[in-house]
Amino acid sequence: MAANPGPAHSTSSAPFRLTDSETNPMCIYLVKNDSKGDKLLFRYPFHSFGGPVKVSFNDQKRSLHKDSGLVKTVRPHDLTIFTDDVISSLFAVKMELCDRKFELKVNNVRFVGHPMQLVTGGSDSGSEGGNKKPQSPSIIMINIVFALDAFARRQISNCYYDLSKVLGVALRHEEKRCAYLSSQIKDMLYIHDTMAMSTNECDLDSSVDNKHFISILENSSLAQDLKSVFEGVVTNGLIKLKVNDWVDVSFCLPHKVHHFYRDGQYFEPESINKCLKGLRPYHGLLLMADRKVLLDSLPQDSSPSIVRLINMYNPVKSLETLSADSDLTLAQVFNIAGHLIYWGDAIVIFPLSETNMYAIAPNVPTERNNEYAKKFEKKFPGQKLLDVMSEFSFPTSLQYKMCPIEDKSSGSTTIQILIWLLQHKILLQYHTYMYFMPSSKGLGYYNDESEFHDYNNKHPSEAPMTTYQTLSENWLQLSSGGYSSSMSSAEEMFHSLDEDEQIALMHIPASANPDDFRLLMRLLKQGYLSGEHHLEEIMYLENIRRSELLKLLDKFKDVLVTVEMEDPIISNFYSH
């Protein structure tokens, strides 16, 4: 999803420290190669990384990985060994290697890019009145390269490779449209040449090289875009800019956008694919920002479907309801939802309901006056985050937190607090899963079949069915009363059980009720009682009310075991 860029190109030189040596790039380079030779046109940051860099305690833990020692500083990779000439010769690949993945490992640094071959100088867009002749076309290679930790995960390096490719495609488009790249390269080379001529050879040191790049940054919109790209991936993993004020370039690094509370745990982009594959119509969405803020961030040419869905959004609505309210097909809603989830603008939830159960998510910060506590108290004056969290130490139903006279809409204070906690992944929803456990070990009445018969002899009134013949006669009577098809299926399912399971079921009085027994066999046959489907999913797939399932659980509590667990689709976005 493309989004409007921020303010016009910024030339601020505020330093960015490496917060994570594995996920953040160390530098971004722009190299060209043509008939006049190769040249490193621009790099950012242009200061060396050879000296010690102060980092926070959490950054130390992430950077040191398996090291157990605690130190005050971390020495990052030294890029000063790579001179400009070395960089240009390394990255200026041959033309036959263009338009494919570029990857080079030197010492502990991995360089990733996507070199592209372009035809330049053939545009006549700069002519005035037809007096100027277009320049003869020439071939040039450009390569936008990111310097990464050599031990960065493959998924991370692939993201930077894709980003290099996206930027290259944008520059190729603008070069074809108005010779933008040729103009930018010409300006950069002019600054290089001018400053080289005005400086004595004895003064050509690293500080002079930095002056080259500082001047280029001040005068080149392309250099400013590359700086914005670097700062975007370091800060939040989002790239939103307009190349030459014309081409929208929007890119997302999932491992930066989706974060975990647990140090050293990184979000795998594959988790998004797992989430989208498991997305169901009964799931819902929770926007991570205010509706107006999200709408304002959309580009002017955004699809009306996205705008319509966001306008109709409500955390109490399922995707199926959103589809109907937005007049969109379910497939369209799923595609838009996937887009919002990937960009970190939304997460998957189960629609808010009084019956939902929530508990504190793993690894959330519990220190007093931590940054989230301060944000919470600013958002909800008079409320304490830790006090609210303590109410969800165990899975707790929302209905027990609602005041009887409180508005149940999404605008109530309790709901707003819940939404904030879910947006910050402090609470995790739990669902009820059912297991069919009819073995003698799980009943508690008896340990084997002989004990079962002893119990029946002592309590004949509590054993309505003790033989298969009694149950069969019951089925015959039900068949004559219009239950033939459903009870035949139930009987078939019953006979597929082993003897211990059949005996356990015959001991339960509710088995004599045809409706209850038929529903149990139906759920068992569909595979819903193996702990893989929560109540909300069964309710949707089988069109059953929650009250019916709860009554069934109560009547067959001797053979049905319930467990409270999270939905695996939603838990992909939480620490483990």
Side-chain angles (χ1 to χ4, degrees):
M1 177 179 62
N4 283 334
H9 308 292
S10 171
T11 58
S12 171
S13 58
F16 276 78
R17 64 182 177 84
L18 295 180
T19 57
D20 192 313
S21 61
E22 183 177 7
T23 60
N24 286 345
M26 291 174 274
C27 194
I28 183 172
Y29 305 89
L30 173 63
V31 174
K32 70 93 181 175
N33 186 24
D34 56 14
S35 58
K36 298 180 181 180
D38 55 73
K39 183 70 175 179
L40 172 61
L41 298 173
F42 182 71
R43 72 166 183 255
Y44 186 84
F46 25 74
H47 298 288
S48 70
F49 279 76
V53 177
K54 294 287 184 179
V55 296
S56 67
F57 177 76
N58 288 335
D59 294 334
Q60 292 173 21
K61 290 192 293 183
R62 286 194 289 264
S63 300
L64 293 175
H65 296 292
K66 297 181 180 180
D67 294 346
S68 58
L70 298 180
V71 296
K72 296 297 182 181
T73 60
V74 174
R75 184 176 297 276
H77 302 76
D78 189 356
L79 296 182
T80 57
I81 62 174
F82 303 108
T83 65
D84 291 357
D85 291 338
V86 171
I87 290 294
S88 62
S89 61
L90 287 176
F91 300 165
V93 301
K94 297 180 179 180
M95 294 300 177
E96 54 265 27
L97 297 180
C98 291
D99 294 304
R100 64 181 63 181
K101 185 175 182 179
F102 170 84
E103 187 171 325
L104 177 65
K105 182 180 177 182
V106 181
N107 296 333
N108 290 327
V109 181
R110 185 187 306 275
F111 299 99
V112 178
H114 184 88
M116 282 193 170
Q117 177 178 315
L118 299 86
V119 178
T120 66
S123 173
D124 58 356
S125 59
S127 62
E128 298 179 2
N131 296 326
K132 292 185 179 180
K133 295 182 180 180
Q135 300 178 0
S136 300
S138 60
I139 298 178
I140 186 174
M141 185 282 305
I142 63 165
N143 196 4
I144 299 175
V145 180
F146 294 92
L148 307 173
D149 189 313
F151 300 99
R153 304 185 186 192
R154 179 59 58 183
Q155 297 94 329
I156 294 176
S157 62
N158 286 342
C159 287
Y160 286 104
Y161 159 72
D162 292 337
L163 177 55
S164 173
K165 183 177 181 180
V166 168
L167 294 170
V169 169
L171 292 176
R172 173 184 283 172
H173 177 277
E174 283 305 276
E175 177 62 27
K176 184 177 181 181
R177 186 181 71 87
C178 62
Y180 169 73
L181 181 61
S182 298
S183 174
Q184 292 293 306
I185 292 178
K186 181 179 179 180
D187 293 342
M188 291 181 181
L189 290 174
Y190 176 77
I191 294 175
H192 277 288
D193 295 340
T194 301
M195 297 193 70
M197 292 175 61
S198 62
T199 306
N200 294 328
E201 184 175 349
C202 60
D203 294 330
L204 289 177
D205 55 18
S206 60
S207 63
V208 175
D209 290 339
N210 292 340
K211 292 181 180 179
H212 283 70
F213 297 127
I214 292 174
S215 180
I216 290 174
L217 181 61
E218 293 174 348
N219 295 277
S220 169
S221 62
L222 177 55
Q224 293 162 10
D225 284 343
L226 294 177
K227 174 179 178 288
S228 298
V229 167
F230 181 86
E231 293 178 347
V233 297
V234 168
T235 53
N236 56 17
L238 293 176
I239 311 298
K240 297 181 180 180
L241 56 86
K242 268 187 185 292
V243 175
N244 194 28
D245 292 326
W246 190 265
V247 179
D248 277 310
V249 173
S250 297
F251 198 83
C252 170
L253 299 175
H255 56 275
K256 296 284 290 186
V257 173
H258 302 275
H259 69 278
F260 294 117
Y261 288 117
R262 182 179 179 183
D263 291 331
Q265 182 177 352
Y266 305 111
F267 184 84
E268 300 288 353
E270 182 61 27
S271 298
I272 295 181
N273 296 330
K274 293 179 180 178
C275 174
L276 298 182
K277 289 179 181 178
L279 207 58
R280 297 293 182 264
Y282 56 79
H283 281 124
L285 287 178
L286 180 67
L287 296 184
M288 301 299 285
D290 182 76
R291 186 202 314 267
K292 186 178 184 303
V293 173
L294 181 56
L295 288 173
D296 290 343
S297 70
L298 298 178
Q300 295 180 353
D301 59 349
S302 294
S303 169
S305 300
I306 298 179
V307 177
R308 193 157 66 244
L309 183 139
I310 294 176
N311 280 324
M312 297 305 300
Y313 155 82
N314 194 303
V316 302
K317 294 181 180 180
S318 66
L319 297 180
E320 187 175 49
T321 303
L322 273 177
S323 172
D325 293 348
S326 305
D327 195 23
L328 300 171
T329 65
L330 197 56
Q332 287 178 299
V333 172
F334 271 49
N335 288 334
I336 297 174
H339 219 56
L340 295 173
I341 294 168
Y342 184 86
W343 278 82
D345 292 323
I347 58 174
V348 181
I349 63 169
F350 186 82
L352 300 187
S353 170
E354 292 182 353
T355 58
N356 290 1
M357 290 186 297
Y358 300 96
I360 299 176
N363 303 306
V364 298
T366 56
E367 300 84 1
R368 290 184 178 275
N369 298 321
N370 62 66
E371 60 174 314
Y372 297 99
K374 295 178 181 178
K375 290 180 181 179
F376 182 82
E377 292 172 16
K378 183 178 180 180
K379 178 75 173 179
F380 305 101
Q383 300 277 356
K384 298 292 184 181
L385 179 59
L386 294 185
D387 292 341
V388 175
M389 291 172 56
S390 66
E391 299 176 1
F392 294 93
S393 299
F394 298 96
T396 304
S397 177
L398 183 59
Q399 62 186 341
Y400 297 116
K401 301 301 178 184
M402 299 288 292
C403 175
I405 61 173
E406 186 175 7
D407 180 16
K408 300 300 191 294
S409 67
S410 60
S412 70
T413 302
T414 301
I415 296 299
Q416 287 302 309
I417 290 177
L418 176 65
I419 290 175
W420 191 94
L421 295 173
L422 291 174
Q423 287 175 333
H424 291 79
K425 301 178 183 178
I426 294 177
L427 289 187
L428 176 61
Q429 183 175 357
Y430 283 75
H431 298 266
T432 300
Y433 292 79
M434 295 189 294
Y435 288 85
F436 180 62
M437 299 183 64
S439 64
S440 58
K441 295 181 180 180
L443 284 176
Y445 288 112
Y446 49 85
N447 295 321
D448 53 38
E449 188 174 346
S450 61
E451 289 189 24
F452 165 74
H453 290 298
D454 292 341
Y455 183 91
N456 289 342
N457 294 331
K458 297 178 181 178
H459 306 83
S461 61
E462 298 182 19
M465 294 183 296
T466 56
T467 64
Y468 300 125
Q469 181 178 2
T470 305
L471 189 57
S472 299
E473 292 175 353
N474 197 351
W475 279 328
L476 290 175
Q477 296 176 3
L478 292 169
S479 298
S480 62
Y483 292 93
S484 178
S485 176
S486 58
M487 289 309 297
S488 175
S489 176
E491 182 179 3
E492 179 182 348
M493 184 64 212
F494 178 80
H495 283 297
S496 68
L497 304 176
D498 60 38
E499 184 176 352
D500 286 343
E501 294 171 336
Q502 292 177 356
I503 293 174
L505 282 175
M506 287 190 299
H507 181 70
I508 299 175
S511 297
N513 185 305
D515 293 330
D516 295 335
F517 187 79
R518 187 170 63 252
L519 177 58
L520 179 66
M521 292 296 104
R522 171 181 156 195
L523 298 180
L524 190 59
K525 185 175 183 179
Q526 296 295 333
Y528 295 134
L529 305 183
S530 58
E532 298 179 358
H533 305 271
H534 52 70
L535 294 188
E536 289 77 13
E537 183 178 13
I538 299 173
M539 288 163 55
Y540 175 82
L541 296 176
E542 295 297 319
N543 193 25
I544 302 175
R545 293 191 300 271
R546 177 182 296 272
S547 59
E548 293 183 70
L549 287 178
L550 294 180
K551 289 180 180 178
L552 189 74
L553 280 170
D554 183 61
K555 293 179 179 179
F556 290 92
K557 59 185 177 182
D558 293 332
V559 295
L560 294 179
V561 177
T562 60
V563 177
E564 311 296 342
M565 296 186 297
E566 65 271 19
D567 187 330
I569 302 304
I570 298 176
S571 64
N572 282 322
F573 297 92
Y574 286 81
S575 302
H576 298 289

